[in-house]
Structures are given as C-alpha cells and as structure tokens.
Amino acid sequence: MATRNSLQKTLGIGLTLGVTLLWLLGVTASGLVAQHEMDEVFDSALEETAQRILPLAVTDILNRENGNGSQRAPALKDHDEYLTYLVRDAQGNLLLRSHDANPEVFGTTPKEGFSSTPTHRLYGVSAVSNTIFLEVAEPLAHRRESALEAGLALLFPLIVLVPVSLMGVWWIVRLSLRRVVDFQRGIESRGAGDLSPVAEDKLPREFQPIAVAVNRLLDRLHRALESERSFTANSAHELRTPLATALAKVQRLKIRISDDQVKKDVTEIEEALRSLSMLSGKLLELAKAEGGGALSQNQHDLVPILAMIASDLEEQAPGRIVTSMPENEVNSFIDPDAFAILVRNLIENALKHGSPNEPVEVSLCEDGRLIVRNGGHTISPEQLKLLRNRFERSNTNTSGSGLGLAIADAIAEGAGMTLYLRSPATGRQDGFEAELVAE
Ligand SMILES: Nc1ncnc2c1ncn2[C@@H]1O[C@H](COP(=O)(O)OP(=O)(O)OP(=O)(O)O)[C@@H](O)[C@H]1O
Ligand SMILES: [Mg+2]
C-alpha cells in the first residue's frame, strides 16, 4: 500500500501542528491587544507629563527678565532624557527646551494633541490663549521594544509546548491504542490452525465491531473446516470395513480360480481394492492431521520412533535406508503417533519416488532437525510449490494418491514446525530432500 501511516505519528504531528498554529494565532491576537493597551498607557503618561510641565514652563517664561529668547532648561543632574520637550510660541519660535531636546524631531509649527512621526510620538498642549505651546516627544523605539518583548515572552512557551505536545500526544495515543496493538499481536502470533475466538471485550468501543466481525468469520471458518474434516474422517472410516471385507473375499476367490485370464482380472480388482483401501487410510490420516492434536502434553524422544519406522520400512526395501541418528535423546512436544505418520510418509515417498539404485538418507540431528534425502530426477520449482496440495503428484508412473505430503505438512504445521521441500537435494545435482525444522 502506498500510504500506510502510523496513526500515532499522524496524530502526533497533526495535533502538535494544530496546537502550534492556534498558539501562534493566540500570540498574534494578544500581542495586538497588548500593544493597543500599552499605547494607551504610554499616551496617557505622555499627556500627563505635558500637563505637569506646562505650568512650570509658562511661569518660567513669563518670569524671564529679558523677554523672549530660547533657553535650555538646566538639568539638575547629568542624565539621558527619555521624554524631551519644546516650548514655542504660535509661530514656532523656541522659548524653552529640555536639555536633550532635538528640535528636528518636532514639526516647524507647534501642534496640539497627539501626533506621530516615523520615530516619535508627540503630544502638544497650549497655554496663555494659544500663545505658548508645549510639546513632549517620546521615542517610538521604546514602545516597539516593549511590544517585541511582550510578543517574545508569549512565544517562549512554544519551545516547551512543541516537544511536550508531541510526547503527550504520542503517549496518549500509545496508551489508548495499547489494547488494539495487543489485539493485533494476538492475531499475528496465532498459528494458521488456531481458529479460537479473539478477545474482544478489552478493545476500545470503536474497534469492537472489527473483533466481532473477525470472530464471526473465524467461527464460520471453523465450522466449515470441521464439517469437511468430519465428513472425510467419517467416510474414510465407514469405507474401511467393507473394503477390507471385499479385499479378503477377492483374495480367497483368487486362490480358487484356475483360469489364467479370470485370475488376471481378479488380480486387477484386488489391486484396485488395495489402492482404495490405502486411499481411505490416507484420507483418515489427513483428517486427523488437519484436526490438530499434533502436539502432546509431554516431551517424547524421537530417536526410537524414527528407528522403529525406518526398520519397518527397511523390510520393504532391504539395504536402501541409511539412517544417521544422535546418541542422545531428541525430545520434542510433537505427538509420537503424528511424528510416526509424518516420518513414514516422507520415507515411503523417498523409497517410492526416488532412484531405486540409490540409498535413502534419513538423518535426525541433535537439535531436532529431520532430513530425508534421496536421489532421482529433479522436480521443477513450480511443481515443488504445489506438491503439498492434496492429490497433487508430479510423477504418475508410481502408484499413490498424492496425499502423503499434504499429511506431512498438516502435521508439521499443527506441531508448530516447518516442512521444507527441496529439489535438487542439498549437495547434489539431482534428487529430492524434505527437511523438518522446529521453528
Ligand atoms: N522423495 C521424493 N522424491 C521424488 N519425488 C517425490 C518425493 N516425495 C514426493 N515426491 C513427489 O511429490 C508427489 C506428491 O507426494 P505425496 O506423498 O503427496 O503423494 P504420493 O506419494 O504420490 O501418494 P501418497 O503418498 O498419497 O501415496 C509425488 O507424487 C511425487 O511426484
Ligand atoms: Mg507419498
């Protein structure tokens, strides 16, 4: 799938970006409000200062002995002025100025009320019937600095907010998805044969329908498989006795017949009945293997089981089976009967389908690995993939039903093991190899 995102990542990044954007909007809005309020406070302070200085300045000017003329107000102590002022007449002639005042900051003629220049905020007020004007100037840089500091102070929490929000969202999503992750792991870890219902009660409400649907599906599958299995097992079982009876009767009949042609026909019937009886036996084995029960409660030593099957089959093909088994016990939880069926099918195959002039190597390793290897022609990879399917055969010259490997595979799967099929066999140019490995 092209875009399979983690919910945790998407929510973490999405929510953090959202919170950051909202915070930035909030900062901008509160910055603008703060600036407006600060401007009002600064303006009021400016006005207050002007109103306070005006009477003093007027008295000072009117009390001068030598009439008009610019005068710089003396500074009591050496200091930098933050607010500067000019006192002028209506024509703009300078009467008094604070000691740091720069006349260029003010207009050519005095103005009453508030006004702004690119660098300063001014407030003018008049006295003595609009003949004396006092203007106070305040540098705007100070106001801008205050606004900037307020803005930065509001932005500062973002440095903490972004990582905290990322971690918080990550943690909360992780916490709320924990049950879902458990559910997913539960489904993932169960083997293909485990069709028991999944636990749905611990899931968040939004995910419960999924669990319910999964359980419904598992239940239907379980019932379908069960009915198929019991049908196979029942029919195979029911066929067994009549087939055995028929076979016994045909064999008795064959002894009594002297006519060669009739004897040949009866032998053919006997062969057909024998292969039918073998088929019903294999179908029963397959039904059992697919029905589970390939694991036992306790561990069993596999060495004697393998030795017994090998010596049993040795009678059919003397000298062809070469076994290699460890001195020590090889214990496994695989059910002894199931293991015997599996091994019998693998060795039977090697004897039946492998080259008759070459030995069949059967080795069991200390770690429980079982390898059955034989010579003979190679099988193409495409064919090899299909061989575990029921009734699938690649060599039709030999007799058989095509169920042996399906049985072996079902047992291996039920016991939590893996059956590998290889052709050519390891270390050979030809042949076939089956390897059973505990996972
Ligand atoms: N050891 C082997 N060497 C070569 N070919 C094999 C070997 N084992 C299996 N095969 C091939 O895989 C096919 C399927 O094997 P499988 O055991 O399922 O069926 P079968 O042996 O033909 O019949 P059945 O085991 O039911 O009597 C065989 O027909 C054969 O072509
Ligand atoms: Mg077989």
Side-chain angles (χ1 to χ4, degrees), residues 24 26 34 47 59 75-76 90 127 130 134 140 152-153 205 218 243 259 263 271 281 297 322 351 356 366 390 402 421:
L24 282 176
E47 189 181 351
T59 321
L76 293 176
N130 287 350
L134 171 99
L140 282 178
L152 282 179
R205 209 176 325 129
L218 281 176
L243 274 175
D259 184 335
K263 202 167 191 153
E271 278 310 307
Q297 298 279 327
V322 180
L351 290 172
E366 296 260 2
R390 301 167 188 185
L421 304 179

Side-chain angles (χ1 to χ4, degrees), residues 349 352-353 374 387 392-395 401-405 432:
N349 274 355
K352 188 160 63 168
H353 307 294
N374 59 271
L387 290 185
E392 192 71 47
R393 312 188 66 220
S394 84
N395 174 15
S401 49
L403 289 177
L405 288 180
F432 183 94

Side-chain angles (χ1 to χ4, degrees), residues 251-328:
Q251 278 165 350
R252 256 183 274 135
L253 185 68
K254 204 169 86 174
I255 300 167
R256 278 192 265 137
I257 292 171
S258 48
D259 184 335
D260 278 355
Q261 185 53 46
V262 180
K263 202 167 191 153
K264 198 170 152 255
D265 289 348
V266 172
T267 311
E268 274 172 17
I269 297 171
E270 185 194 354
E271 278 310 307
L273 281 174
R274 206 187 293 280
S275 74
L276 257 180
S277 152
M278 274 176 35
L279 174 63
S280 83
K282 292 254 170 185
L283 278 173
L284 205 56
E285 276 180 7
L286 182 66
K288 277 188 194 151
E290 287 184 342
L295 277 177
S296 75
Q297 298 279 327
N298 310 310
Q299 291 206 333
H300 295 272
D301 183 11
L302 301 183
V303 179
I305 306 171
L306 183 59
M308 191 185 76
I309 303 288
S311 74
D312 194 9
L313 289 170
E314 174 77 28
E315 285 167 19
Q316 295 176 21
R320 271 192 72 198
I321 301 178
V322 180
T323 51
S324 144
M325 278 183 262
E327 307 257 306
N328 302 326

Side-chain angles (χ1 to χ4, degrees), residues 184-242:
Q184 168 212 329
R185 291 214 184 106
I187 291 186
E188 248 170 23
S189 64
R190 56 172 56 206
D194 184 359
L195 297 178
S196 59
V198 291
E200 58 185 71
D201 49 334
K202 289 188 188 125
L203 275 180
R205 209 176 325 129
E206 290 83 349
F207 288 91
Q208 247 169 15
I210 301 178
V212 172
V214 167
N215 278 342
R216 217 175 285 145
L217 202 65
L218 281 176
D219 184 46
R220 275 179 60 189
L221 196 62
H222 181 70
R223 270 188 283 134
L225 285 177
E226 200 47 54
S227 70
E228 184 197 301
R229 226 176 270 146
S230 62
F231 176 75
T232 317
N234 289 341
S235 33
H237 188 73
E238 293 302 320
L239 278 173
R240 245 179 165 184
T241 323

